[in-house]
Amino acid sequence: MAPPTGGGRWRLCHVVVLLLWTTLHRHVLGCSSTNCNLNLTEAQGGITSPCYPQKYPNSQACKWIMQAPAGFIIQLSFLDFEMEEAPGCIYDQVVVNTGNTDVKFCGLTANGLTLNSTGNVMELSFNSDFSVQKKGFSVSFRHVAVALRNQKVKISGGHGQVTMVASSLSLPALSHLTLCFEVERNIQKQKEWLFTYFDSSSNVGLSLGSSQAGMKMIVDGVSCSINSVLSSSDFTSSMESFCVVWTSSTGLVAVYFNGNYLTKTCPSSSGHSVPAGGQFRLGGQHSFDGYIYNLRLWDYAMTEQQLQALTCDTVGNVVDWDNSHWTIPSALAHTDATLSCSVSPPGTTPLPTSCDSPGLGCPEELFYRIQFVVEDGGSAPSAVERAVVLWLNQTFQNWTHSVSVDNVRVQQGAASGGNPTSYSCQALLVYYFIANESLGEAAVSARLSSREGLMAAAGLQIKHASEDVQLIENCPEENPLPYRWPESRPTVTRHLPCFPNKDQSTSRTCLINAQNYSSHWSAADTSNCTDIDTIEVSAENAAEVAEQLANITNTELPSEEVSKVVAKVQELVNVAKINVTLANTVVTIISNVMSSSEMALAATSEMALKTVDELVQKIEFEGPSLSISSRHLALGISNLNASVFNGTSFSAFIPPNATDPQVAFESERLHPLAQVTLPSSLLSSVSLSDSDRASLSRINFMFFKKTNLFQREQDGRSLNSYVVASSVGNLSIRGLTEPVEIQIAHVSEQFSSRPVCMFWDFSFNNGGGGWNGDGCRVSKESSINKTICLCDHLTHFGILMDISGVSAHIDSRNNKILTFITYIGCGISAIFSAATLLTYIAFEKIRRDYPSKILMNLSTSLLFLNMVFLLDGWLASLEKRWLCLSVAVFLHYFLLTSFTWMGLESVHMYIALVKVFNTYIRRYILKFCIVGWGLPALVVGIVIAVDKNSYGLQEYGKGESGDGSSELCWIQSPVVFYTTCVGYFCLVFLLNVAMFIVVMLQICGRNGKRSNRSLREEVLRNLRSVISLSFLLGMTWGFALFAWGPVSLAFMYLFAIFNSLQGLFIFIFHCALKENVQKQWRRYLCCGRFKLSDNSDWSKTATNNTKKVSSENLGKSLSSSSFGSSTANWTSKAKATLNPFSKRHSTTETSSSQ
């Protein structure tokens, strides 16, 4: 078919297409593939932005988490910093979370800064938008030891998280003591202990806390009430200092806090002392919920004057607030620069005090959803609502936290009988964040519980366990192309630069639903944004527009934006004067567009290809040739003197240490990716006038490293390599006497394939284009690494590899049908394999013989094979490499065990039917199990030991967009597959075929001696036996060996149907139709007239089975039971020699046969 005419015609193109029904590998090259989401635990190191010191890529989202041991903080220093500048850092940004504060940087603001974390964890996040790239950043980090004076410690009740005095420190016996500390609480509890000292006998030697009776101090097991000098209400949410003094001689207890010195005598403690050699820990059986700080212990009693003069530098001579004195779990220590005795670590830079929505948004307000149910005896609903509103306001008035109640809703529920009416109440609690204060859901719940009495005063009762307090969740991150809206707190408004005009911004707010108090994103406000369609293109601003489009296409675009960009590029090429600089920019734009998905490019591929063709015709350059490179597209243009043309060649290659393809002229490069050789007679076959010949000034060459612009599949063949194109001026050349030679390297070696050379014809598919094979043939010089096409015309060409001819007969519709059959069949097979296995497990009498035990093992193997296969696709979607490797290993193993047990079935039949006499095998079933389960394990183990990467994720039919793909965890190595699967099966298959023939000869030979059965009955009985044996021995797996050539599709359907249903057929022929199984079912599972009475004794069946077996019994054994359960009964002598496989059965069965 003649190619279309016009300036947009394609003159010459190669396409290598490999028909592979395995993974289409996608290689992501360049620095953009750098892993930038890491957890860093090193004592020191460095972090750089992706590609640093080159420009960072667009649309990046990275996070580094640095973690230090307990007692250390992270110190971060910015060594180099250059980001895109914008108000509020709304374009590109670095956010540092120091522990309780998010700090955002962009532009050059972070250069030279040093930041310290408040705890032992620090996070650094980096985000870039769709355009404008800068150098990025380089930072260093290190762990800095922090004095315990800079840290407060959370008091914990246990679970391995207990703070205690170091074991290296031994406490002496104390008859006098002074103990000072600072404390802040989160939630007040009825029972709470600040610290506990246990002596060597685990008795309480010293403790301070409160119970329902009030505050008390325990000394040497003696409890002293000190509620008159210290109350639990004195411990608040603010860090306060307390000192407790005790003297043994008088039993005097003194408490000093807030400048007051109060005393109380505890006579019962007089004469006691704190025992030595115990263990001092924070908390107790009921631990205080809060933080403690600067706990110090002295072995003498301080006076009031000494307590007043106490400073941070006064060291506790028994226990001091120092790292060497304590063992503190890392999760409990929290650095806080506001502590009374803290010292700032060296090198810190003060953090900015302003908050411009860093991180999740400024934590100025937090929102809690409060729900509870109240019950009322008969008040009006409006009165109940007023009472609930009043109670909530009173509950949270004068609280230590700054909160307000908003949007209270009360809904009446249904009353039943004499029960009180219930009301469902909801409210929004707004917490106004204050630095160094925290409020949790538990604190709000405790506040509500403590004020329930106020509700009772109004005649209402809060239903038990109905209170529920939840922090309203953040709006989740959303990524509607080309925007990325980060996770945000409720009421926070996010601003992002408009696409494509970054001078304006779009906004979106995280709102709270007034009905159910859940968070949700509002619709994006894009009223200030312009559209690509509004960009004006002229010859004067072409370069500026091209640069803008290049920035726009640096990020992934939705389909509609791709179409707009391509249309705008076509408009630009049509109106502009194309110089080399502009041509480079346009090629970059097209290359960026080629990174989009095939779905996004489907509507614009024709326009894009014709735009490239128009571009190469219009480029103005100086010199003999021009080469332009980009990530996915390379152009080569060579000047042409038509009067002295002697042929030429072009080649595409990737230089060492580079990723972009380049074009070389008249170069004999080794192993090029593609090469086109034009014969010297190229122009002699074309009738040209002198003026037309003189107008020919260039030969164009185009190399497409990415093939998204072309149809990936056609007539069952798949495109899986590069595309190369060439044209001479504006000519359409056909009927060449000396062909054009086009050579393209294969992506992977093809040992058994039939390549087909084809060209891209725009007249196909209503002008959309398609592959056409007219005028091209494959050269005999082609090899497994490359294909050479010889073509008699200049247009688009390609190579199609058709492995075994299967692809020509399987289209996408049949592929879907085959997949559906396979999954449905495997599910059914798994169910009935389980039914077979459960039947034989439940009824002991039917599993006494060896064939039944072999059948149970085969059913077990098929059950696990089907289950692993059914779960494989879902587990592969989880994208966990170790999990996928494990699934592939198990799938391989159970496939081999299924083959092995099918083979062992045939081995058993051979022993039972051929080696009937004088056969004794000790531990028969044990040896079969060792082979059936052990041999496959050995094979799989060898594969894993040699190369575990032989297993992995296989992606079938996956284009670069990822659409329409199916993933399976399976064998990746062809050598392993053909050796351990295909070869293994062929050995078992040959063994089973031989046994199948032997058994059928035995059956036919014995049945032929019978004269009391009609020919029709004999044929049906033998056919039943054939079907029974076929599924038991796995004969249907042999269909895979015949799936070649024109009958491949039929055999693939047969293979999918019969093998996916193998478990069902085995259940029917070797379980459901087996007489002994039917008896057991009727005896235990049926009722009424179908139930078999117990007087049908099993021994009667066993006795009957010892009779001489005729051909009728033989046929029955194959058609209605697992083979071998009765076929061994051909003669009484055969019975006596078959059963001695087990010594235990030998005696009993010999006696029964006499």
Side-chain angles (χ1 to χ4, degrees), residues 916-982:
V916 175
F917 299 98
N918 301 321
T919 303
Y920 174 77
I921 300 178
R922 189 183 180 196
R923 296 180 180 175
Y924 186 71
I925 292 299
L926 176 60
K927 293 178 179 178
F928 266 42
C929 287
I930 292 175
V931 175
W933 300 107
L935 181 59
L938 178 63
V939 173
V940 173
I942 292 174
V943 173
I944 295 175
V946 173
D947 183 13
K948 67 178 181 181
N949 292 323
S950 298
Y951 300 100
L953 186 66
Q954 294 278 25
E955 297 173 325
Y956 296 98
K958 180 179 175 67
E960 292 185 355
S961 67
D963 296 325
S965 66
S966 58
E967 298 178 329
L968 185 72
C969 296
W970 184 226
I971 301 172
Q972 288 184 319
S973 170
V975 175
V976 173
F977 174 78
Y978 284 107
T979 302
T980 63
C981 286
V982 179

Side-chain angles (χ1 to χ4, degrees), residues 161 375 396 754 981 988:
Q161 299 286 306
E375 295 177 339
F396 294 106
R754 292 195 296 271
C981 286
V988 175

Side-chain angles (χ1 to χ4, degrees), residues 203 224 417 489 503 547 761 827 874 917 1014 1029 1036 1042:
N203 298 317
C224 299
R489 293 189 179 94
D503 293 338
E547 287 291 342
D761 192 338
W874 172 65
F917 299 98
S1014 66
L1029 273 180
T1036 54
F1042 303 97

Side-chain angles (χ1 to χ4, degrees), residues 658-675:
T659 59
D660 296 346
Q662 295 185 12
V663 174
F665 307 91
E666 300 288 353
S667 174
E668 293 294 334
R669 289 189 170 271
L670 293 175
H671 311 300
L673 299 178
Q675 181 169 302

Side-chain angles (χ1 to χ4, degrees), residues 60-79:
Q60 290 290 297
C62 304
K63 178 181 284 188
W64 295 269
I65 300 175
M66 296 155 280
Q67 185 166 6
F72 289 80
I73 63 168
I74 310 294
Q75 187 172 86
L76 188 75
S77 299
F78 285 88
L79 308 178

